Protein backbone atom coordinates (compact mmCIF):
# COMPACT_ATOMS: atom_id res chain seq x y z
CA UNK A 1 0.00 0.00 0.00
CA UNK A 2 1.49 3.25 -1.13
CA UNK A 3 1.03 6.58 0.61
CA UNK A 4 2.23 10.16 0.25
CA UNK A 5 4.93 11.18 2.64
CA UNK A 6 5.50 14.77 3.77
CA UNK A 7 8.71 16.14 5.21
CA UNK A 8 8.47 19.10 7.49
CA UNK A 9 11.51 21.24 7.93
CA UNK A 10 12.55 24.81 8.85
CA UNK A 11 10.48 24.96 12.03
CA UNK A 12 11.63 27.88 14.15
CA UNK A 13 10.30 28.95 17.51
CA UNK A 14 11.03 32.42 18.86
CA UNK A 15 10.07 33.24 22.42
CA UNK A 16 9.66 36.88 23.36
CA UNK A 17 8.90 37.95 26.87
CA UNK A 18 7.47 41.37 27.57
CA UNK A 19 9.42 42.91 30.49
CA UNK A 20 7.25 43.68 33.48
CA UNK A 21 6.46 47.22 34.55
CA UNK A 22 8.75 46.92 37.55
CA UNK A 23 11.68 45.74 35.43
CA UNK A 24 11.27 48.61 32.97
CA UNK A 25 11.11 51.20 35.71
CA UNK A 26 14.14 49.74 37.46
CA UNK A 27 15.99 49.93 34.15
CA UNK A 28 15.15 53.62 33.82
CA UNK A 29 16.17 54.20 37.43
CA UNK A 30 19.52 52.52 36.85
CA UNK A 31 20.25 54.37 33.62
CA UNK A 32 19.35 57.78 35.04
CA UNK A 33 21.37 57.03 38.18
CA UNK A 34 24.45 56.27 36.07
CA UNK A 35 24.01 59.33 33.85
CA UNK A 36 23.48 61.70 36.80
CA UNK A 37 26.30 60.18 38.84
CA UNK A 38 28.80 60.85 36.06
CA UNK A 39 27.63 64.32 34.99
CA UNK A 40 26.92 65.77 38.43
CA UNK A 41 29.96 64.05 39.90
CA UNK A 42 32.26 65.64 37.33
CA UNK A 43 30.70 69.04 37.96
CA UNK A 44 30.95 68.74 41.75
CA UNK A 45 34.60 67.75 41.60
CA UNK A 46 35.32 70.11 38.72
CA UNK A 47 37.70 72.30 40.75
CA UNK A 48 39.92 69.25 41.31
CA UNK A 49 40.31 68.28 37.65
CA UNK A 50 40.89 70.00 34.34
CA UNK A 51 38.24 68.18 32.37
CA UNK A 52 35.98 71.21 31.96
CA UNK A 53 33.35 71.13 29.21
CA UNK A 54 35.03 68.47 27.07
CA UNK A 55 35.38 66.04 29.97
CA UNK A 56 31.78 66.58 31.07
CA UNK A 57 30.56 66.12 27.49
CA UNK A 58 32.44 62.87 27.00
CA UNK A 59 31.50 61.63 30.46
CA UNK A 60 27.81 62.16 29.76
CA UNK A 61 28.08 60.50 26.34
CA UNK A 62 29.92 57.44 27.67
CA UNK A 63 27.53 57.12 30.61
CA UNK A 64 24.51 57.16 28.31
CA UNK A 65 25.99 54.64 25.89
CA UNK A 66 26.93 52.30 28.74
CA UNK A 67 23.49 52.55 30.35
CA UNK A 68 21.71 52.05 27.04
CA UNK A 69 23.86 49.03 26.24
CA UNK A 70 22.93 47.51 29.58
CA UNK A 71 19.17 48.15 29.76
CA UNK A 72 18.13 49.81 26.51
CA UNK A 73 16.47 46.64 25.18
CA UNK A 74 14.24 46.64 28.28
CA UNK A 75 13.06 50.23 28.67
CA UNK A 76 14.22 52.00 25.53
CA UNK A 77 16.96 53.92 27.38
CA UNK A 78 15.23 57.25 27.92
CA UNK A 79 16.99 58.31 31.16
CA UNK A 80 15.47 61.75 30.66
CA UNK A 81 11.88 63.06 31.14
CA UNK A 82 12.21 65.09 27.94
CA UNK A 83 12.92 61.96 25.89
CA UNK A 84 9.98 60.18 27.53
CA UNK A 85 7.70 63.07 26.58
CA UNK A 86 9.01 62.93 23.03
CA UNK A 87 8.45 59.18 22.92
CA UNK A 88 4.84 59.64 23.99
CA UNK A 89 4.13 62.44 21.51
CA UNK A 90 5.94 60.44 18.84
CA UNK A 91 3.56 57.52 19.32
CA UNK A 92 6.06 55.18 20.98
CA UNK A 93 4.57 54.90 24.49
CA UNK A 94 1.38 55.86 26.31
CA UNK A 95 0.91 58.80 28.65
CA UNK A 96 0.78 56.45 31.64
CA UNK A 97 4.09 54.99 30.55
CA UNK A 98 5.55 58.47 30.29
CA UNK A 99 4.61 59.46 33.83
CA UNK A 100 5.86 56.12 35.14
CA UNK A 101 9.21 56.74 33.48
CA UNK A 102 9.36 60.26 34.91
CA UNK A 103 9.00 58.90 38.43
CA UNK A 104 11.71 56.29 37.90
CA UNK A 105 14.06 58.84 36.36
CA UNK A 106 13.64 61.27 39.24
CA UNK A 107 14.34 58.50 41.74
CA UNK A 108 17.51 57.46 39.89
CA UNK A 109 18.80 61.04 39.60
CA UNK A 110 18.10 61.87 43.25
CA UNK A 111 19.78 58.67 44.43
CA UNK A 112 22.90 59.50 42.43
CA UNK A 113 23.02 63.04 43.81
CA UNK A 114 22.49 61.70 47.33
CA UNK A 115 25.47 59.36 46.98
CA UNK A 116 27.68 62.25 45.87
CA UNK A 117 26.36 64.58 48.58
CA UNK A 118 26.99 62.14 51.42
CA UNK A 119 30.47 61.17 50.26
CA UNK A 120 32.00 64.64 49.81
CA UNK A 121 34.82 64.92 52.41
CA UNK A 122 34.22 67.66 54.97
CA UNK A 123 37.85 68.73 54.65
CA UNK A 124 37.30 69.37 50.95
CA UNK A 125 34.54 71.84 51.81
CA UNK A 126 37.01 73.97 53.73
CA UNK A 127 39.75 73.65 51.11
CA UNK A 128 37.37 74.93 48.43
CA UNK A 129 36.36 77.85 50.62
CA UNK A 130 32.72 76.80 50.88
CA UNK A 131 30.52 77.13 53.94
CA UNK A 132 28.96 73.70 53.67
CA UNK A 133 28.46 70.74 51.34
CA UNK A 134 25.61 72.55 49.63
CA UNK A 135 28.09 75.17 48.52
CA UNK A 136 30.25 72.51 46.88
CA UNK A 137 27.19 71.07 45.18
CA UNK A 138 26.20 74.45 43.74
CA UNK A 139 28.73 73.97 40.91
CA UNK A 140 26.45 71.25 39.50
CA UNK A 141 23.31 73.40 39.45
CA UNK A 142 21.86 74.57 36.15
CA UNK A 143 21.28 78.28 36.04
CA UNK A 144 21.36 81.59 34.23
CA UNK A 145 22.36 85.10 35.21
CA UNK A 146 24.77 84.95 38.14
CA UNK A 147 24.46 81.15 38.15
CA UNK A 148 25.59 80.90 34.55
CA UNK A 149 29.05 79.36 34.14
CA UNK A 150 29.94 82.29 31.90
CA UNK A 151 29.41 84.66 34.85
CA UNK A 152 31.84 82.63 36.96
CA UNK A 153 34.39 82.22 34.18
CA UNK A 154 34.46 85.95 33.46
CA UNK A 155 34.27 86.91 37.16
CA UNK A 156 31.02 88.75 36.63
CA UNK A 157 32.01 90.40 33.38
CA UNK A 158 29.32 88.66 31.28
CA UNK A 159 26.33 86.43 31.80
CA UNK A 160 23.39 84.80 30.03
CA UNK A 161 19.98 86.09 31.07
CA UNK A 162 16.86 83.97 31.26
CA UNK A 163 15.68 84.38 27.66
CA UNK A 164 18.92 83.27 25.93
CA UNK A 165 19.15 80.43 28.45
CA UNK A 166 15.56 79.39 27.71
CA UNK A 167 16.13 79.52 23.96
CA UNK A 168 19.34 77.48 24.13
CA UNK A 169 17.75 74.84 26.37
CA UNK A 170 14.73 74.51 24.07
CA UNK A 171 16.96 74.06 21.02
CA UNK A 172 19.38 71.52 22.50
CA UNK A 173 16.52 69.51 24.00
CA UNK A 174 14.69 69.47 20.67
CA UNK A 175 17.82 68.26 18.90
CA UNK A 176 18.44 65.54 21.50
CA UNK A 177 14.88 64.21 21.32
CA UNK A 178 14.90 64.40 17.53
CA UNK A 179 18.09 62.35 17.38
CA UNK A 180 16.63 59.79 19.80
CA UNK A 181 13.40 59.38 17.81
CA UNK A 182 15.22 59.17 14.49
CA UNK A 183 17.93 56.78 15.65
CA UNK A 184 15.39 54.47 17.30
CA UNK A 185 12.98 54.52 14.36
CA UNK A 186 12.17 50.94 13.23
CA UNK A 187 13.11 51.92 9.68
CA UNK A 188 16.46 53.40 10.67
CA UNK A 189 19.48 51.70 9.11
CA UNK A 190 21.78 52.95 11.86
CA UNK A 191 22.96 49.90 13.74
CA UNK A 192 23.51 51.23 17.24
CA UNK A 193 21.21 54.06 18.32
CA UNK A 194 22.89 54.70 21.73
CA UNK A 195 26.03 55.91 19.94
CA UNK A 196 24.00 58.51 18.05
CA UNK A 197 22.24 59.72 21.20
CA UNK A 198 25.47 59.72 23.20
CA UNK A 199 27.21 61.70 20.47
CA UNK A 200 24.37 64.22 20.53
CA UNK A 201 24.73 64.58 24.31
CA UNK A 202 28.45 65.27 23.94
CA UNK A 203 28.08 67.80 21.13
CA UNK A 204 25.18 69.66 22.75
CA UNK A 205 27.00 69.82 26.07
CA UNK A 206 29.96 71.53 24.43
CA UNK A 207 27.61 74.11 22.91
CA UNK A 208 25.60 74.89 26.05
CA UNK A 209 27.90 74.33 29.01
CA UNK A 210 28.90 78.01 29.34
CA UNK A 211 25.28 79.08 29.00
CA UNK A 212 23.41 77.05 31.61
CA UNK A 213 25.74 74.26 32.75
CA UNK A 214 23.80 72.15 30.22
CA UNK A 215 20.41 71.16 31.57
CA UNK A 216 18.60 69.22 28.81
CA UNK A 217 17.49 66.69 31.46
CA UNK A 218 14.92 67.80 34.08
CA UNK A 219 15.69 64.82 36.34
CA UNK A 220 19.39 65.68 36.54
CA UNK A 221 18.57 69.39 37.05
CA UNK A 222 16.13 68.59 39.87
CA UNK A 223 18.59 66.33 41.68
CA UNK A 224 21.32 68.98 41.64
CA UNK A 225 18.90 71.71 42.79
CA UNK A 226 17.66 69.63 45.72
CA UNK A 227 21.08 69.06 47.25
CA UNK A 228 22.43 72.52 46.47
CA UNK A 229 19.33 74.24 47.84
CA UNK A 230 18.96 76.26 44.62
CA UNK A 231 15.31 76.13 43.58
CA UNK A 232 14.76 79.57 42.11
CA UNK A 233 15.65 78.82 38.51
CA UNK A 234 14.65 75.17 38.30
CA UNK A 235 11.42 76.04 36.47
CA UNK A 236 13.36 76.93 33.31
CA UNK A 237 15.07 73.53 33.26
CA UNK A 238 11.71 71.77 33.24
CA UNK A 239 9.86 74.09 30.88
CA UNK A 240 12.57 74.42 28.22
CA UNK A 241 13.44 70.70 27.81
CA UNK A 242 9.78 69.69 27.70
CA UNK A 243 8.93 72.39 25.16
CA UNK A 244 11.90 71.35 23.04
CA UNK A 245 10.90 67.70 23.29
CA UNK A 246 7.33 68.51 22.24
CA UNK A 247 8.51 70.48 19.21
CA UNK A 248 10.84 67.69 18.12
CA UNK A 249 8.21 64.99 18.57
CA UNK A 250 5.52 66.90 16.71
CA UNK A 251 7.94 67.63 13.87
CA UNK A 252 8.93 63.96 13.76
CA UNK A 253 5.28 62.88 13.83
CA UNK A 254 4.39 65.23 11.00
CA UNK A 255 7.33 64.64 8.66
CA UNK A 256 9.40 61.69 9.78
CA UNK A 257 7.02 58.95 10.92
CA UNK A 258 4.86 56.45 9.09
CA UNK A 259 1.61 55.79 10.93
CA UNK A 260 1.19 52.40 9.29
CA UNK A 261 4.51 51.19 10.66
CA UNK A 262 4.37 52.65 14.17
CA UNK A 263 4.23 50.21 17.05
CA UNK A 264 3.90 50.75 20.78
CA UNK A 265 6.79 48.51 21.66
CA UNK A 266 7.30 50.10 25.07
CA UNK A 267 3.69 50.81 26.01
CA UNK A 268 3.49 50.23 29.73
CA UNK A 269 -0.30 50.43 29.66
CA UNK A 270 -0.38 47.06 27.96
CA UNK A 271 1.25 45.44 30.98
CA UNK A 272 -2.10 44.15 32.15
CA UNK A 273 -2.46 42.20 28.93
CA UNK A 274 0.97 40.57 29.07
CA UNK A 275 2.29 39.17 32.31
CA UNK A 276 5.80 37.92 32.94
CA UNK A 277 4.71 34.39 32.15
CA UNK A 278 3.09 35.29 28.85
CA UNK A 279 5.04 33.95 25.91
CA UNK A 280 4.62 34.86 22.28
CA UNK A 281 5.55 31.95 20.01
CA UNK A 282 6.14 32.45 16.33
CA UNK A 283 6.34 29.35 14.15
CA UNK A 284 7.49 29.18 10.58
CA UNK A 285 6.82 25.87 8.83
CA UNK A 286 7.84 24.88 5.32
CA UNK A 287 6.12 21.80 3.89
CA UNK A 288 7.90 19.90 1.15
CA UNK A 289 6.01 17.07 -0.60
CA UNK A 290 7.95 13.88 -1.39
CA UNK A 291 6.73 11.78 -4.32
CA UNK A 292 6.53 7.98 -4.00
CA UNK A 293 6.89 5.50 -6.94
CA UNK A 294 3.21 4.60 -6.75
CA UNK A 295 2.21 8.20 -6.97
CA UNK A 296 4.51 8.73 -9.97
CA UNK A 297 2.87 5.77 -11.84
CA UNK A 298 -0.60 7.12 -11.15
CA UNK A 299 0.35 10.54 -12.47
CA UNK A 300 1.92 9.00 -15.62
CA UNK A 301 -1.21 6.93 -16.31
CA UNK A 302 -3.39 9.98 -15.89
CA UNK A 303 -1.24 11.86 -18.37
CA UNK A 304 -1.50 9.09 -21.07
CA UNK A 305 -3.65 10.20 -24.11
CA UNK A 306 -7.09 8.54 -24.42
CA UNK A 307 -6.49 6.93 -27.89
CA UNK A 308 -3.36 5.26 -26.63
CA UNK A 309 -5.31 3.80 -23.74
CA UNK A 310 -7.95 2.27 -26.12
CA UNK A 311 -5.25 0.76 -28.34
CA UNK A 312 -3.74 -0.94 -25.36
CA UNK A 313 -7.17 -2.35 -24.37
CA UNK A 314 -7.73 -3.87 -27.86
CA UNK A 315 -4.36 -5.45 -27.88
Amino acid sequence: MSQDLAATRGVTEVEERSPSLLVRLLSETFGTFLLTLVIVGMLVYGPLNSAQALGIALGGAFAYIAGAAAVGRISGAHFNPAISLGAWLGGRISITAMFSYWGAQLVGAILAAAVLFTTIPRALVELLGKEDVQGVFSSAVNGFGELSPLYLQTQGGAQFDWFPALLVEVIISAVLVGVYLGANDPRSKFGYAPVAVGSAIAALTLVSWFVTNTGMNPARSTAAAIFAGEWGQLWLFWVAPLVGAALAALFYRAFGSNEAEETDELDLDEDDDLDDDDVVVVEETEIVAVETPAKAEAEAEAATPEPAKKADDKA
Side-chain angles (χ1 to χ4, degrees):
M1 180 179 180
S2 63
Q3 58 180 7
D4 294 342
L5 301 177
T8 304
R9 65 182 181 182
V11 178
T12 305
E13 291 188 1
V14 179
E15 294 187 1
E16 297 179 356
R17 290 184 178 274
S18 176
S20 68
L21 173 61
L22 178 61
V23 171
R24 298 184 214 187
L25 297 185
L26 287 175
S27 298
E28 283 296 302
T29 300
F30 166 77
T32 313
F33 175 91
L34 175 60
L35 189 63
T36 304
L37 185 70
V38 172
I39 293 176
V40 174
M42 295 189 72
L43 288 168
V44 166
Y45 291 106
L48 304 179
N49 60 61
S50 58
Q52 295 297 322
L54 179 59
I56 296 166
L58 293 178
F62 293 153
Y64 179 85
I65 293 171
V71 299
R73 62 185 178 80
I74 299 174
S75 67
H78 295 185
F79 311 157
N80 184 336
I83 290 180
S84 296
L85 175 64
W88 168 54
L89 292 175
R92 305 286 179 85
I93 61 175
S94 69
I95 189 170
T96 303
M98 181 191 74
F99 284 121
S100 299
Y101 273 27
W102 281 15
Q105 290 154 0
L106 284 170
V107 169
I110 292 171
L111 286 175
V115 169
L116 293 169
F117 187 85
T118 57
T119 55
I120 293 176
R122 295 295 182 256
L124 178 62
V125 177
E126 299 177 2
L127 290 173
L128 294 176
K130 304 294 184 180
E131 296 181 0
D132 51 24
V133 179
Q134 283 187 326
V136 177
F137 228 82
S138 63
S139 60
V141 174
N142 298 117
F144 54 87
E146 294 184 359
L147 293 180
S148 170
L150 182 63
Y151 181 88
L152 301 176
Q153 293 291 325
T154 61
Q155 297 180 346
Q159 66 183 36
F160 286 97
D161 294 326
W162 73 270
F163 183 74
L166 179 69
L167 184 60
V168 168
E169 285 290 322
V170 168
I171 292 173
I172 63 176
S173 299
V175 173
L176 176 64
V177 173
V179 170
Y180 177 89
L181 293 175
N184 287 279
D185 192 293
R187 297 161 295 160
S188 175
K189 296 181 180 179
F190 188 73
Y192 198 53
V195 173
V197 180
S199 299
I201 290 174
L204 296 171
T205 298
L206 292 173
V207 170
S208 61
W209 184 75
F210 281 103
V211 183
T212 59
N213 227 6
T214 306
M216 202 162 55
N217 187 332
R220 163 259 190 273
S221 300
T222 300
I226 288 175
F227 290 95
E230 297 282 355
W231 292 88
Q233 298 181 358
L234 181 60
W235 64 270
L236 186 144
F237 300 97
W238 271 91
V239 172
L242 296 183
V243 169
L247 292 175
L250 294 176
F251 184 88
Y252 168 82
R253 197 79 184 257
F255 302 103
S257 67
N258 187 333
E259 295 292 339
E261 296 183 7
E262 285 184 358
T263 57
D264 289 342
E265 296 179 358
L266 302 176
D267 194 340
L268 298 186
D269 280 349
E270 303 300 326
D271 220 74
D272 295 336
D273 297 330
L274 270 179
D275 297 326
D276 286 345
D277 296 331
D278 291 339
V279 178
V280 179
V281 179
V282 180
E283 294 188 0
E284 297 179 358
T285 305
E286 181 181 354
I287 306 299
V288 179
V290 179
E291 292 187 352
T292 62
K295 182 177 180 181
E297 292 178 3
E299 290 179 352
E301 183 178 349
T304 302
E306 191 64 28
K309 285 186 177 181
K310 291 181 179 180
D312 291 342
D313 293 341
K314 291 179 179 179

